[in-house]
Amino acid sequence: MFYWRMAWRQIRRFPGRSAAMVGGIIIGVAAVIAVSLATQSTDQAFDAMFESISGRADLEVASAGGGSFDAEVLERIADTPGVQLASPLIQRPSILYFEDQRAKLITLGIDPELDQHVHPREIVAGRSLREDKGLLLEASLANSMGIEVDDAVQLLTRRGLIKARVIGLYRSLQTVATSGGASVLMSLTAAQYATKIPGRVNTIQIVVEPDADVAQVQAAIAAELPEALRIAPPAARSSLAKETAYATQQGMLTSRAFSLLVAVLIIANTFLISVTQRRRQIGILRAIGTTRRQVARMLYSEAILLGLVGAALGWLAGNLGAGYLARAMGTLFETEMPRTQWDPMSLLPAVLLGVGIALLGVWWPVRRASRLAPTEAMRESVITDFRRAWRWPTLLGVGLIILCSGVLSQSLQGKLPPIYSAWAGALLLSGLVLLVPLVTRPISTALSRLLRGVVPIESKLALQQLLRHHTRTSLTIGVLFVGLSTGVGMASSVIDNVADIRGWYRKAFVADLFLRAMSPDMATGLAADLPDEVGIQLAAVPHIRSLGTARFVAAEAAGQSVIVVASDRAERSGSLFDLTSGDPNGLAQRMAEGQVVIGSVLASRAGGLEAGDSLEIETEQGLETLPIAAVANDYMAGGRTVYMQRDLAERLLGVEGVDAYMINAQEGHLEAVRRDVRAIAQQHGLLLQTFSDIQRQIDVMMAGVVAGLWALVVLGFVVAAMGVANTLTMNVLEQTREIGLLRIVGTTGAQVRRSILLQGLMMGVIAFVPALAAGVLISYLTHLSAEPVVGHPIPFAIHPWLLAGSLVGGLVVIVAAAWFPARRAARLPLLKAIRHNQ
Amino acid sequence: MGRLRRESMKIIEAIDVTKTFGQSSVPVDAVRGIHLEIEAGEMVAIIGPSGSGKSTLLTLLGAIDAPTSGQILLEGTDVASLDDTARTTLRRRRIGFVFQAFNLLPTLTAVENVALPLELDGVAEKDALARAEAALEMVGLRPRRDHLPSMLSGGEQQRVAVARALVIQPALVLADEPTGNLDTASSQQVTDLLRELVDHQGQTVVLVTHDIEVARRADRIVTVRDGQIDHDAAPLADHDSTHSER
Ligand SMILES: Nc1ncnc2c1ncn2[C@@H]1O[C@H](COP(=O)(O)OP(=O)(O)O)[C@@H](O)[C@H]1O
Ligand SMILES: [Mg+2]
């Protein structure tokens, strides 16, 4: 109790200082919580999406190509020993229209008798599919669209827009309701009719007898299946979606590592200042009989209290931030994310983390403080810095740099997972920070010499003050260094990545007009069927120069889950791909001959495939080997894509239907074509987009994530400003008496102010020059570590304007942060100053 | 005089004590071979030029620092042989300190400052505060018990510091220029207070001072020069006539 009381008094008496500490803790905790929750909720969204399809099934049979297959195998599977039941399923993304609203959802065709054992559902209104014919709609979706039982809705299918009646609303008894998995149910036969696959299904969901061995049943069924069919536990299928989110998650994890580092540094700096200021008090405590351990306990109690406050606030901020991040990722993947849960259980880890960060940050200052000699109580001189401990921080710094460089290079060569490079990068920066004290004196002395000609008195005063508080100065420089280098590194990565994505879609989407039901889901790569009638209508539109189609299907190639893009673009040529390997000339010809173009992520995941290699793909006829014509940058479906000619895809994978039409008009007839196609689009409730529409759409999708990353850059500057303001305010407070004396012997207020501003600027210059270099390095490392994720090297560029802007911006921020301490110093009332106690 | 009423008993004894600062190139011999005995119920003033080693001697007597060589026997225990924690505990229980200025923790009220050494020693908060209040009463500051140091005058702060030194019922009160920062009136008040403690409670007080008026109130004046004792005697009778009558 006693220690808590002492700590609480200290915190209350020095709210500004405590706030700086709490601020540091908030930054650390919020970053970790926000990133963890957002990552978790994206994963959950993908899980839920697949769970809504697979339900209680232990095993799932699907065709190798991902297309439909004949349902005749159903009986044989159901008769296999150990199988409790086998339920057929048709699943297609689709669009539901009601009044003037539209919603993306998944159409599920089910056998109502069998399916109830796989997907326990509760009918909350209306009737079930066993009692009536029509559609069953998920209750939460129906509510949000205002649909009631017996309302008529329209559903987009290969047969066009079909009118159907909603006979009931259901709620899943198994999955947490997420709009990400919203689906509409109809009978199997109705679905077969709507998707034009009579007698066929997409998957068979298998529930195993409770006492049967799943692996044995799987083997038994596999032996029975025709070659084109595969059996696997359903969970495996969500990995494709999760991998898509991987790159973004990696980016966030990296920023989390840096946020933690920055947090610890701020805390260390603030607390060091705090205990330096309390040197004499600590000396008195020691003199009147406080043991070292007791001093440490008092200070740790303070850190724990601040850690608790910071953790609580950081938890709040983190939860808010998580909502934002999850929404941003949702936009990016065009998936509705579940609302991030305010998980009260996450408060406990948050508290542990907050207290942990606080204790880590104060560890060194406390160590120094508790070793203060009690004779400090009797010192008459103005309080100065702790004596410098050179050796071990330097050794530790050098050690960290060597170790982290090793880890980094291993990680970049792919021998360690990429996340190691984030931590190694952050720790490498810490290592550099530990070496700052070595250069503080020589560089600031040199700077002061340089300035002597311009502002002789001020530069001398500034130098004295900086060196008097050597450790504090060095730590502030460290904070500035980390803040700016992280900011610049992130910013320059953002710029390069955005440039890369733009480069991709400029090439990938080249047509005058795009007609489709919806943009393909970025996560699954799948889109709703277009009515077959659309193709016929389009063919009749005059003045169309070329009409291409695209169809996206899931498949397995080179041991990876991929999205096959089947296309019969009439004018496909090299310029449509952003090639990283292969010859653009004659590409169309080679594709027509049966070669494929693969996405760069797939290429690198499959062990560095290049043009001229071959790709093994699972087809209805078994494993097929296709020659690779080229490798292309691709951001669709996380770059795990295979582009092939339409007829090849029909033959190998049984592809049917169309997801999108690409239309080019004849010279001078664009308006006419657009008018005609718009009429078709309106008739079927489809999206008609121009190239710039798509461009805008992708920009909007990226905006959230890009904004989040820019926020990090700003945070870097804010952190830096906090560090400088803190240090200079403390310096001014301690200098009060001296400043008073200087003023009395004739130093002007302006000179005093300039000397304080100069202190800030000198620290800034010392920090910023290496920080810009480190920022470029961070960005380079980010690029390298992103390569295995993105699948191709992102062109690395140095952005002189960014660097210059950051430098100027940083110095401006420093001057702003130094302004108040400087003004305060210049305006000190003289008499008060020389009477100032401590 | 007060001390004559008591059996003479050594509270502390310094035997050939030296203290050297700075291990490296230019060592400073702050204390050089000092012998000193202080008896219970004595008020001893240490005077001498600035830098002569007065404060250093006081830190050695008060177990704040260990001597480079020699022995310090506090109530028979050799301070030099103790480790840091044992020395700290010894200070907490047996020695009261008053420094020149900024004696008090700015975050604690007067009474909490006084209770501090007791609480550090594990005395329950309630008991500690009660005893602290009694000590404040003794220095005449009970009404200011809940004031923060910043609300007290310099003289009052020093008296609170004296109360904190007393609250543990120490064997020895050590004061390093306790009046150095005070005006004449406050200085007089603090000196009176220390004198009273010796006279009425048999407290032992060693104080370092620059102020000859303060030194004259002591029973014994030790003059230190260049780290050595130059002089050790009762104040001269002719300067002390008014006080000796007490
Ligand atoms: N911690 C220390 N480190 C180095 N030298 C010290 C230290 N403390 C005191 N000294 C030196 O020891 C000598 C005596 O100091 P001090 O005891 O403070 O003198 P006084 O109190 O009589 O003014 C001085 O020369 C002083 O500089
Ligand atoms: Mg002294």
Side-chain angles (χ1 to χ4, degrees):
Chain A
M1 234 12 250
F2 167 67
Y3 294 95
W4 299 122
R5 211 158 14 98
M6 295 283 288
W8 178 238
R9 287 299 174 80
Q10 184 66 33
I11 292 169
R12 257 187 32 201
R13 273 280 285 176
F14 298 97
R17 212 184 273 165
S18 308
M21 288 263 298
V22 168
I25 298 163
I26 290 177
I27 289 177
V29 173
V32 171
I33 296 272
V35 169
S36 310
L37 285 184
T39 315
Q40 216 177 320
S41 83
T42 8
D43 282 353
Q44 273 171 5
F46 294 137
D47 282 343
M49 220 155 71
F50 283 89
E51 228 177 282
S52 70
I53 292 167
S54 58
R56 261 187 202 156
D58 300 302
L59 293 166
E60 180 187 76
V61 171
S63 83
S68 63
F69 57 89
D70 202 315
E72 62 166 17
V73 291
L74 187 63
E75 249 167 72
R76 247 183 305 155
I77 294 172
D79 290 344
T80 309
V83 172
Q84 191 174 53
L85 68 101
S87 169
L89 187 68
I90 290 179
Q91 64 198 69
R92 284 302 305 167
S94 182
I95 296 175
L96 180 81
Y97 299 86
F98 178 66
E99 289 164 0
D100 55 351
Q101 305 171 68
R102 53 183 260 148
K104 272 163 62 166
L105 38 60
I106 298 174
T107 311
L108 296 179
I110 57 166
D111 176 326
E113 288 300 334
L114 290 171
D115 188 69
Q116 60 180 333
H117 303 289
V118 184
H119 302 98
R121 295 188 177 99
E122 181 191 13
I123 306 293
V124 293
R127 301 166 298 280
S128 76
L129 285 174
R130 273 170 292 169
E131 297 156 323
D132 198 356
K133 282 194 177 126
L135 303 179
L136 265 185
L137 209 56
E138 196 166 60
S140 61
L141 179 74
N143 285 341
S144 72
M145 292 179 79
I147 300 174
E148 287 172 10
V149 174
D150 288 331
D151 278 344
V153 297
Q154 287 186 300
L155 200 63
L156 183 67
T157 71
R158 276 185 74 189
R159 296 214 178 261
L161 278 178
I162 51 173
K163 259 208 172 105
R165 197 161 45 96
V166 174
I167 57 162
L169 308 181
Y170 76 89
R171 193 165 59 81
S172 170
L173 290 177
Q174 192 173 32
T175 49
V176 194
T178 64
S179 37
S183 36
V184 57
L185 305 183
M186 59 177 83
S187 71
L188 195 64
T189 36
Q192 284 168 336
Y193 171 79
T195 51
K196 290 190 174 175
I197 48 168
R200 296 170 77 86
V201 295
N202 287 122
T203 60
I204 295 173
Q205 307 290 322
I206 299 162
V207 179
V208 172
E209 299 275 7
D211 52 355
D213 177 27
V214 176
Q216 264 175 20
V217 176
Q218 179 175 354
I221 296 174
E224 295 274 321
L225 289 178
E227 201 178 357
L229 298 187
R230 298 285 176 273
I231 180 162
R237 302 194 43 216
S238 75
S239 71
L240 174 75
K242 282 188 183 170
E243 291 229 355
T244 308
Y246 185 69
T248 319
Q249 290 183 352
Q250 283 300 311
M252 294 201 296
L253 290 173
T254 306
S255 60
R256 181 174 80 172
F258 283 99
S259 307
L260 276 181
L261 169 66
V262 166
V264 170
L265 270 179
I266 297 177
I267 293 162
N269 194 28
T270 318
F271 209 67
L272 188 78
I273 291 175
S274 171
V275 295
T276 314
Q277 279 238 294
R278 283 189 270 164
R279 248 176 109 104
R280 184 190 278 277
Q281 287 167 40
I282 294 166
I284 301 253
L285 278 170
R286 294 280 286 123
I288 65 169
T290 316
T291 59
R292 286 177 180 177
R293 197 187 282 259
Q294 285 175 317
V295 169
R297 245 179 98 174
M298 280 177 201
L299 297 176
Y300 279 132
S301 303
E302 249 177 84
I304 291 172
L305 279 184
L306 292 170
L308 289 174
V309 176
L313 294 175
W315 181 76
L316 280 177
N319 274 288
L320 290 174
Y324 173 79
L325 275 183
R327 268 200 306 284
M329 286 189 73
T331 330
L332 188 66
F333 302 122
E334 295 216 304
T335 314
E336 281 277 333
M337 289 292 161
R339 294 272 289 284
T340 44
Q341 302 284 323
W342 281 77
D343 178 10
M345 288 312 286
S346 70
L347 187 58
L348 182 70
V351 162
L352 290 180
L353 180 71
V355 172
I357 298 174
L359 290 179
L360 193 67
V362 303
W363 175 76
W364 189 64
V366 168
R367 201 178 120 100
R368 309 247 74 199
S370 64
R371 296 190 170 195
L372 267 180
T375 44
E376 292 290 336
M378 311 171 74
R379 280 248 184 128
E380 282 137 43
S381 63
V382 180
I383 295 153
T384 57
D385 219 343
F386 287 107
R387 222 177 303 124
R388 268 159 272 146
W390 284 116
R391 208 167 302 139
W392 73 260
T394 308
L395 287 179
L396 184 65
V398 171
L400 269 178
I401 290 171
I402 293 172
L403 180 76
C404 294
S405 309
V407 171
L408 257 179
S409 70
Q410 291 291 304
S411 165
L412 294 178
Q413 288 167 32
K415 290 178 191 157
L416 289 172
I419 185 61
Y420 279 74
S421 61
W423 288 105
L427 285 174
L428 185 74
L429 278 194
S430 332
L432 288 173
V433 169
L434 286 173
L435 297 189
V436 169
L438 294 182
V439 300
T440 302
R441 179 180 297 272
I443 299 188
S444 42
T445 310
L447 277 178
S448 152
R449 290 242 170 81
L450 271 178
L451 290 167
R452 197 162 288 173
V454 195
V455 276
I457 296 171
E458 293 88 334
S459 63
K460 209 170 139 194
L461 287 176
L463 180 68
Q464 277 171 2
Q465 193 62 22
L466 287 181
L467 292 185
R468 169 184 287 167
H469 302 287
H470 191 273
T471 310
R472 179 188 305 174
T473 305
S474 302
L475 262 172
T476 311
I477 293 173
V479 171
L480 283 174
F481 171 76
V482 172
L484 193 79
S485 57
T486 312
V488 167
M490 295 281 174
S492 124
S493 296
V494 173
I495 293 173
D496 289 346
N497 273 291
V498 169
D500 194 48
I501 293 179
R502 294 228 164 94
W504 161 70
Y505 71 63
R506 291 236 161 82
K507 292 198 158 190
F509 295 93
V510 182
D512 294 334
L513 298 169
F514 297 83
L515 183 66
R516 47 190 184 163
M518 62 191 214
S519 43
D521 194 294
M522 271 279 204
T524 60
L526 301 178
D529 287 317
L530 289 180
D532 288 353
E533 196 191 346
V534 172
I536 300 165
Q537 289 176 322
L538 281 177
V541 173
H543 303 302
I544 286 184
R545 179 163 51 96
S546 69
L547 180 62
T549 65
R551 176 68 159 171
F552 307 92
V553 291
E556 292 280 320
Q560 314 273 324
S561 304
V562 300
I563 293 295
V564 171
V565 184
S567 172
D568 62 354
R569 265 197 243 189
E571 295 162 46
R572 180 170 280 291
S573 75
S575 71
L576 295 179
F577 291 105
D578 186 7
L579 295 190
T580 61
S581 152
D583 183 4
N585 296 317
L587 189 62
Q589 181 57 35
R590 275 174 286 149
M591 287 188 76
E593 288 163 6
Q595 299 196 16
V596 295
V597 174
I598 63 173
S600 49
V601 176
L602 174 61
S604 83
R605 290 289 175 82
L609 292 177
E610 286 181 23
D613 293 341
S614 55
L615 179 77
E616 292 198 323
I617 184 162
E618 302 225 23
T619 72
E620 297 193 328
Q621 290 84 43
L623 219 52
E624 284 271 339
T625 304
L626 300 175
I628 297 171
V631 177
N633 280 343
D634 197 2
Y635 282 88
M636 195 155 20
R640 292 183 313 279
T641 38
V642 177
Y643 292 82
M644 64 173 72
Q645 205 68 18
R646 170 89 191 190
D647 50 5
L648 181 64
E650 282 174 4
R651 188 159 49 79
L652 295 180
L653 304 166
V655 163
E656 50 210 340
V658 170
D659 289 326
Y661 287 96
M662 282 84 68
I663 304 154
N664 280 303
Q666 287 170 0
E667 199 87 40
H669 291 87
L670 181 58
E671 269 318 304
V673 170
R674 191 206 302 243
R675 203 179 45 237
D676 291 347
V677 176
R678 189 183 295 139
I680 300 172
Q682 276 166 357
Q683 182 196 340
H684 298 280
L686 305 178
L687 284 176
L688 177 65
Q689 292 170 305
T690 62
F691 176 62
S692 61
D693 288 338
I694 292 203
Q695 203 165 331
R696 211 173 310 124
Q697 189 186 1
I698 293 180
D699 282 341
V700 167
M701 277 159 54
M702 291 193 303
V705 170
V706 171
L709 289 171
W710 279 113
L712 272 179
V713 177
V714 173
L715 191 71
F717 280 98
V718 171
V719 163
M722 262 169 70
V724 171
N726 199 351
T727 297
L728 290 182
T729 307
M730 292 302 158
N731 281 3
V732 168
L733 278 178
E734 288 173 17
Q735 258 177 310
T736 301
R737 196 188 182 86
E738 276 168 85
I739 293 169
L741 284 173
L742 285 170
R743 300 276 283 115
I744 283 171
V745 301
T747 316
T748 66
Q751 279 174 322
V752 168
R753 184 169 57 230
R754 278 199 295 270
S755 87
I756 307 284
L757 290 176
L758 216 53
Q759 286 177 36
L761 282 175
M762 281 167 73
M763 290 193 286
V765 171
I766 298 174
F768 284 178
V769 175
L772 293 181
V776 171
L777 183 74
I778 289 176
S779 143
Y780 182 67
L781 291 177
T782 316
H783 282 63
L784 285 186
S785 64
E787 198 176 320
V789 178
V790 186
H792 62 270
I794 293 171
F796 170 73
I798 292 180
H799 305 280
W801 284 111
L802 173 71
L803 298 186
S806 306
L807 184 66
V808 173
L811 291 177
V812 168
V813 166
I814 285 185
V815 170
W819 195 260
F820 284 98
R823 202 176 64 163
R824 177 183 178 139
R827 292 189 182 171
L828 270 182
L830 297 191
L831 287 178
K832 196 173 158 219
I834 48 174
R835 259 198 272 116
H836 183 76
N837 292 353
Q838 211 175 346
Chain B
M1 280 202 166
R3 72 186 165 108
L4 297 180
R5 286 201 296 270
R6 237 164 281 271
E7 288 300 306
S8 69
M9 185 185 95
K10 271 183 279 185
I11 288 281
I12 194 164
E13 183 175 9
I15 307 166
D16 197 18
V17 166
T18 66
K19 178 71 186 178
T20 308
F21 288 111
Q23 316 86 324
S24 57
S25 46
V26 258
V28 180
D29 296 313
V31 169
R32 303 194 288 179
I34 280 187
H35 287 270
L36 184 67
E37 281 179 18
I38 290 163
E39 285 174 15
E42 243 188 335
M43 179 165 175
V44 180
I46 300 178
I47 61 173
S50 190
S52 56
K54 307 182 293 293
S55 296
T56 307
L57 178 58
L58 210 66
T59 61
L60 297 176
L61 294 178
I64 282 184
D65 212 351
T68 310
S69 69
Q71 279 185 309
I72 310 265
L73 302 175
L74 180 72
E75 297 181 303
T77 314
D78 184 4
V79 172
S81 69
L82 301 176
D83 69 4
D84 185 80
T85 307
R87 272 213 313 273
T88 306
T89 315
L90 182 76
R91 288 201 295 274
R92 183 156 80 213
R93 301 200 172 136
R94 302 307 298 149
I95 296 168
F97 281 102
V98 181
F99 301 107
Q100 181 168 355
F102 320 120
N103 266 295
L104 307 178
L105 296 197
T107 52
L108 302 184
T109 61
V111 70
E112 286 169 333
N113 260 294
V114 176
L116 192 56
L118 296 175
E119 294 212 46
L120 286 169
D121 209 36
V123 175
E125 188 188 352
K126 231 171 98 188
D127 296 346
L129 288 179
R131 280 168 66 182
E133 212 159 309
L136 275 180
E137 175 82 68
M138 223 180 310
V139 300
L141 284 178
R142 187 167 178 165
R144 316 299 295 266
R145 61 179 301 248
D146 291 326
H147 289 207
L148 287 173
S150 55
M151 300 149 83
L152 300 172
S153 75
E156 285 168 335
Q157 287 183 30
Q158 290 305 80
R159 279 151 64 202
V160 173
V162 172
R164 183 182 63 197
L166 292 176
V167 79
I168 58 170
Q169 297 171 320
L172 186 62
V173 172
L174 298 174
D176 193 0
E177 310 202 24
T179 60
N181 267 22
L182 302 181
D183 57 81
T184 323
S186 302
S187 168
Q188 173 96 28
Q189 233 179 353
V190 170
T191 319
D192 286 347
L193 177 62
L194 291 173
R195 186 69 249 176
E196 248 169 62
L197 292 175
V198 176
D199 290 345
H200 300 315
Q201 302 188 16
Q203 194 54 262
T204 313
V205 173
V206 179
L207 69 93
V208 169
T209 183
H210 263 110
D211 186 344
I212 197 67
E213 289 303 323
V214 174
R216 278 199 191 114
R217 306 281 301 277
D219 303 319
R220 202 174 134 195
I221 297 180
V222 175
T223 312
V224 177
R225 215 178 285 277
D226 288 337
Q228 286 173 313
I229 295 182
D230 192 60
H231 227 64
D232 186 352
L236 290 176
D238 58 354
H239 290 300
D240 202 31
S241 51
T242 49
H243 296 141
S244 57
E245 279 164 22
R246 280 198 187 173

